[in-house]
């Protein structure tokens, strides 16, 4: 990974403007209930630190803020953070489980790994070396011990406020070979390997597994119900919950909650969703599969750390990426896909597409106070 020069207070104070027309239009608008408007929330969420923060609890809170900008399954944000003098402990929040799509908490612990990687990168930028250990017991926690070190800025840290899971059609442009090599390097990690596909024939093969998984999920009422429970159909719902999947982020219109069920019945169909994934994968430059050596919580956390590095490296290159996990979420399809990948009895953990494309309206996060224990 390319190193950058040290951070200046100015760089740390850089703030990122909202990147979407919806975000820009809504700036300063509130919903009249004391909550910020969507645009305000986006602007205050997706930014670097507002000012130079030296040390102490303010710095620890800021590291947690960076951690919460990580990806999480259905944007459940299934994490809690315990702050001590030189230690941050990342804990699972089992009240945010998704038992249908994620019965064994694979995605939940992967999400904790994503948050951990952001925290480590931010700590390094602020002059703190982060030692991560996965004692996991008794609370299934991730312990991050912080030690003074020379500040180390990186492209990955700088990319944290710009990373997005972009559920759009991309523009089919290929990614230069050197960038593919750097992406692979960023994505590989402790006990985690990746397979990268850019060949059209292979991408068509993989699309079939995604379609098979998607069809199974769309025909599973419990899956659809759980997904709906996490969809925020309008800005007011998003601003209220500050979690979940904003419909506009998936390219869908926003509408009042009471019409959601009626509209979904017609607009959210197996064929429609399968066509969308065909377009999305065919317009992508490549696909990446993550596979961990260990099929346990420690292995899943490592996968999350690796995804986060891949996502930040691709963001730093101006690329977009999005999960197409249908092929790894349905057990029967996952077993067939593992055979395709030739990985024996190992589990394919995550599947993503990447390429060049537009940004979509952004996700939001809950306030820091809600994730501290
Ligand atoms: C373990 C894991 C699994 C995910 N699976 C999917 C998926 O199957 N489809 C999808 O569109 N997004 C998936 N996501 C992305 C999340 O929905 C996304 O991170 C969340 O909505 C927040 O959006 P953001 O990453 O753009 O901030 C997944 C994320 C994680 C960490």
């Amino acid at each position: 990974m390319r190193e950058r020069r040290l951070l200046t207070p100015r760089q740390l104070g850089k703030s990122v403007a909202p990147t979407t027309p919806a975000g820009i239009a809504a700036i300063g608008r509130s919903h009249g209930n004391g909550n910020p408007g969507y645009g305000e929330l986006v602007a205050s969420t997706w930014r670097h630190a507002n000012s130079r923060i030296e040390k102490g609890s303010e710095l620890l809170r800021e590291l947690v803020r960076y951690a919460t900008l990580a990806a999480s399954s259905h944007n459940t944000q299934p994490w809690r953070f315990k702050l001590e003098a030189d230690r941050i402990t990342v804990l699972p929040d089992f009240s945010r489980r998704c038992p249908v799509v994620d019965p064994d908490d694979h995605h939940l612990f992967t999400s904790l790994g994503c948050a951990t990687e952001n925290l480590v990168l931010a700590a390094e930028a602020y002059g703190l070396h982060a030692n991560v250990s996965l004692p996991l017991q008794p609370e299934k926690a991730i312990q991050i011990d912080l030690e003074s070190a020379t500040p180390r800025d990186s492209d990955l840290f700088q990319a944290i406020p710009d990373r997005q899971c972009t559920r759009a059609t991309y523009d089919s442009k290929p990614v230069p070979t050197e960038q593919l090599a750097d992406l692979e390097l960023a994505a590989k990690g402790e006990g985690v390997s990746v397979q990268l596909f850019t060949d059209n024939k292979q991408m068509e093969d993989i699309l079939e597994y995604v379609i098979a998984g998607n069809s199974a999920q769309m025909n599973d009422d419990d899956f659809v119900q759980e997904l709906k429970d996490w969809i925020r159909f309008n800005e007011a719902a998003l601003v209220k919950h500050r979690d979940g999947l904003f419909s506009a982020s998936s390219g869908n219109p926003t509408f009042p909650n009471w019409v959601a069920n009626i509209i979904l019945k017609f607009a959210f169909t197996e064929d429609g969703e399968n066509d969308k994934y065909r377009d999305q994968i065919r317009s992508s430059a490549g696909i990446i599969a993550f596979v961990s050596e260990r099929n346990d919580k420690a292995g899943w956390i490592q996968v999350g750390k690796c995804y986060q590095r891949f996502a930040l490296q691709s963001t730093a290159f101006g690329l977009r990426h999005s999960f197409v996990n249908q092929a790894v979420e349905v057990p029967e399809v996952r077993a067939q896909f593992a055979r395709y990948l030739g990985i024996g009895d190992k589990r394919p953990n995550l599947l993503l597409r990447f390429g060049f494309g537009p940004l979509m309206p952004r996700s939001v996060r809950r306030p820091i106070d809600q994730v501290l224990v």
Side-chain angles (χ1 to χ4, degrees):
M1 217 59 43
R2 226 161 295 131
E3 296 297 324
R4 291 164 61 111
R5 65 193 181 287
L6 296 186
L7 288 186
T8 63
R10 223 179 116 73
Q11 280 175 314
L12 282 168
K14 185 175 91 173
S15 76
V16 174
T19 45
T20 68
I24 291 159
I27 277 271
R29 234 192 275 152
S30 98
H31 288 272
N33 51 7
N35 286 331
Y38 171 61
E40 283 173 285
L41 202 49
V42 166
S44 64
T45 303
W46 296 103
R47 58 173 177 81
H48 275 291
N50 278 328
S51 57
R52 184 79 172 120
I53 296 159
E54 298 292 346
K55 55 179 189 280
S57 61
E58 208 194 336
L59 176 53
L60 297 186
R61 279 177 71 94
E62 191 58 17
L63 298 184
V64 168
R65 193 184 67 78
Y66 276 109
T68 64
L69 298 183
S72 65
S73 172
H74 285 5
N75 197 19
T76 51
Q77 305 166 41
W79 40 56
R80 293 175 308 137
F81 299 86
K82 187 166 139 202
L83 307 185
E84 290 167 270
D86 298 312
R87 174 180 294 167
I88 299 179
T89 309
V90 186
L91 295 148
D93 182 347
F94 291 117
S95 70
R96 296 182 158 261
R97 297 182 70 230
C98 291
V100 183
V101 70
D102 191 28
D104 57 3
D105 294 326
H106 169 279
H107 283 1
L108 190 152
F109 280 92
T110 301
S111 304
L112 298 189
C114 300
T116 299
E117 191 59 28
N118 266 15
L119 204 156
V120 168
L121 290 165
E124 281 176 355
Y126 278 97
L128 290 170
H129 177 68
N131 282 308
V132 178
S133 41
L134 309 178
L136 291 174
Q137 300 303 341
E139 295 175 291
K140 304 190 167 58
I142 304 169
Q143 189 174 300
I144 306 174
D145 290 300
L146 302 163
E147 265 176 345
S148 253
T150 311
R152 221 177 63 150
D153 191 7
S154 60
D155 289 346
L156 302 197
F157 168 67
Q158 287 299 328
I160 288 176
D162 296 330
R163 185 205 58 82
Q164 173 187 70
C165 291
T166 308
R167 298 183 196 89
T169 305
Y170 300 162
D171 71 3
S172 307
K173 243 177 52 195
V175 172
T177 318
E178 325 78 75
Q179 290 192 346
L180 287 175
D182 280 351
L183 285 177
E184 194 170 346
L185 209 61
K188 282 195 291 205
E190 234 173 283
V192 180
S193 61
V194 292
Q195 293 191 24
L196 231 72
F197 302 91
T198 53
D199 172 74
N200 281 345
K201 163 80 178 71
Q202 288 177 320
M203 286 174 64
E204 284 293 323
D205 290 344
I206 295 172
L207 172 60
E208 289 310 312
Y209 294 101
V210 173
I211 299 292
N214 194 55
S215 287
Q217 290 179 330
M218 293 294 293
N219 285 299
D220 176 347
D221 290 345
D222 293 337
F223 171 88
V224 173
Q225 187 56 52
E226 184 179 78
L227 178 63
K228 276 190 204 164
D229 289 344
W230 284 101
I231 296 180
R232 309 291 171 240
F233 291 103
N234 48 66
E235 287 185 10
L238 185 70
V239 164
K240 179 171 165 218
H241 293 277
R242 293 176 63 159
D243 60 12
L245 302 160
F246 184 30
S247 29
S249 303
S250 302
N252 296 321
T254 57
F255 34 73
N257 288 334
W258 66 270
V259 286
N261 276 331
I262 306 165
I263 294 191
L264 277 185
K265 220 174 169 166
F266 300 103
F268 191 58
T269 62
E270 179 188 344
D271 286 349
E273 289 298 292
N274 282 343
D275 283 347
K276 190 175 81 185
Y277 287 111
R278 285 192 185 93
D279 285 349
Q280 291 188 349
I281 288 184
R282 287 176 180 154
S283 68
S284 299
I287 290 180
I288 183 167
F290 289 75
V291 179
S292 69
E293 284 294 326
R294 302 169 55 156
N295 189 23
D296 59 12
K297 294 181 176 63
W300 305 339
I301 291 166
Q302 293 295 355
V303 168
K305 285 167 91 329
C306 289
Y307 152 76
Q308 195 67 26
R309 294 182 74 83
F310 161 80
L312 294 171
Q313 182 62 73
S314 58
T315 304
F317 285 152
L319 287 163
R320 309 270 172 247
H321 69 276
S322 179
F323 289 84
V324 278
N325 273 337
Q326 291 86 344
V328 299
E329 287 172 344
V330 178
E332 303 74 48
V333 180
R334 179 166 71 226
Q336 291 167 15
F337 185 51
R339 279 197 286 282
Y340 176 80
L341 292 177
I343 55 171
D345 58 2
K346 280 189 232 134
R347 172 180 185 156
N349 301 89
L350 299 175
L351 188 67
L352 291 110
R353 64 190 180 96
F354 57 89
F356 296 96
L359 263 181
M360 297 295 276
R362 306 218 59 177
S363 62
V364 297
R365 297 294 185 272
R366 289 178 295 149
I368 299 305
D369 285 332
Q370 281 188 22
V371 297
L372 293 179
V373 292

